[in-house]
Amino acid sequence: MENKNNFKVDENLKHIAFIMDGNGRWAKARGMERPEGHKEGVKVFERVANTCFEFGLEAVTFYAFSTENWKRPPEEIQTIMSLLAMYLDKCGDSLIKNEVRFRVIGDKAGLDKDLRKKIKKLENESKQFKRTLNVAINYGGRDEIVYACQRLVSEGKEINKENFSLALYTEDCVDPDMIIRTAGERRLSNFLLWQSSYSELYFTDVLWPDFTDEDLKLAINDFYSRRRRYGGL
Ligand code: FPP
């Protein structure tokens, strides 16, 4: 991929995870229905994912639908699921061409059968690539921890930190160095609870549909201004 911005990350920043918040407020502020905000949000997701890989990141993760989001109106849920299906149809080939591994993290059993089929197909076709795009759908951090415990028990594996990490939905993916949340709230909302132990947290008031590549650069520059001590001095 061509990097028009000539902006590169180094080995200290391998993985950024995004909590894409503010789609509903963005739509309401324009007198539109909430699903319109998600339609704009998916365009931003697509652009930001590409930009991250252009910047040299190894992994990116996007929180698209939580286990708690089933409480939303059916029309809104339907919009988010169809947006994912459309994204897979539209962008699957270019992910493979750009050598990006696609993975859904979350409880896929709770998703519609056709959507599951599309996900599985792209996951299989892209599994040999190292750079990773994780999309969290029907995802809950606590559910993921319980899932990992059950997996270790059923596979008869020893419970230790290494095996535990590998048993999570994210498996061998490096932990996020930074988590960016848009739209002003300052919490993790059940996202990557195990993996975020040492993630730098970055919050911005910008609503997700307004999030630009310049906003991403601001976040990355902020990351580089911090000193990560991992409990040391
Ligand atoms: C949070 O904003 C956003 C979501 C719950 C859904 C995010 C979904 C997308 C960006 C589109 C689908 C993306 C993919 C990858 C299929 P909110 O609705 O809670 O906004 P609010 O806090 O302003 O109400």
Side-chain angles (χ1 to χ4, degrees):
M1 270 179 252
E2 191 194 344
N3 178 6
K4 298 178 205 80
N5 298 288
N6 211 17
F7 184 92
K8 282 276 176 202
V9 297
D10 63 15
E11 71 287 351
N12 295 309
L13 181 52
K14 294 194 171 91
H15 181 181
I16 301 182
F18 295 88
I19 302 179
M20 307 181 280
D21 199 7
N23 294 344
R25 275 167 279 172
W26 182 91
K28 285 285 162 204
R30 284 160 181 75
M32 290 156 33
E33 296 302 320
R34 296 178 49 85
E36 297 306 312
H38 298 313
K39 289 181 193 163
E40 202 57 31
V42 79
K43 294 184 205 162
V44 176
F45 149 76
E46 220 181 291
R47 171 175 45 74
V48 171
N50 287 335
T51 304
C52 283
F53 290 124
E54 285 175 13
F55 286 174
L57 281 140
E58 261 178 37
V60 275
T61 300
F62 293 85
Y63 202 3
F65 193 86
S66 74
T67 44
E68 288 72 36
N69 287 151
W70 294 107
K71 294 179 206 148
R72 295 193 176 203
E75 192 206 341
E76 185 170 339
I77 296 174
Q78 186 49 44
T79 301
I80 296 174
M81 296 301 166
S82 334
L83 287 170
L84 177 62
M86 286 190 286
Y87 171 75
L88 296 173
D89 288 340
K90 183 179 147 213
C91 295
D93 287 348
S94 71
L95 288 174
I96 291 169
K97 189 168 143 260
N98 289 315
E99 305 196 339
V100 173
R101 174 182 188 177
F102 175 83
R103 179 158 51 185
V104 162
I105 58 168
D107 181 8
K108 287 179 264 202
L111 304 177
D112 164 87
K113 197 162 140 261
D114 287 342
L115 182 57
R116 276 199 327 252
K117 244 166 101 178
K118 284 183 201 288
I119 293 170
K120 198 169 175 192
K121 181 167 179 284
L122 186 55
E123 284 183 338
N124 281 336
E125 288 171 353
S126 65
K127 66 175 181 233
Q128 69 272 32
F129 303 125
K130 188 163 188 296
R131 293 193 301 173
T132 303
L133 167 61
N134 295 312
V135 178
I137 297 266
N138 198 19
Y139 175 90
R142 289 183 172 180
D143 280 7
E144 183 182 31
I145 287 170
V146 171
Y147 165 82
C149 295
Q150 290 168 337
R151 192 169 165 186
L152 288 179
V153 169
S154 77
E155 291 172 2
K157 294 209 173 120
E158 188 190 335
I159 299 195
N160 57 41
K161 284 186 275 186
E162 288 71 31
N163 284 346
F164 197 85
S165 287
L166 289 170
L168 293 164
Y169 297 134
T170 43
E171 297 185 339
D172 53 350
C173 189
V174 61
D175 286 341
D177 299 296
M178 173 162 64
I179 297 182
I180 297 177
R181 180 171 189 150
T182 56
E185 310 289 356
R186 291 165 178 255
R187 54 175 171 263
L188 283 178
S189 299
N190 204 14
F191 189 46
L192 302 178
L193 297 182
W194 172 276
Q195 300 89 331
S196 62
S197 298
Y198 285 102
S199 304
E200 297 296 328
L201 305 181
Y202 181 88
F203 302 103
T204 169
D205 289 336
V206 174
L207 304 178
W208 179 253
D210 292 327
F211 191 79
T212 63
D213 288 354
E214 284 309 307
D215 293 317
L216 177 61
K217 282 192 206 169
L218 279 178
I220 292 176
N221 284 330
D222 189 88
F223 172 87
Y224 280 115
S225 74
R226 302 184 190 190
R227 217 176 119 236
R228 302 177 84 191
R229 294 196 300 273
Y230 300 98
L233 295 177

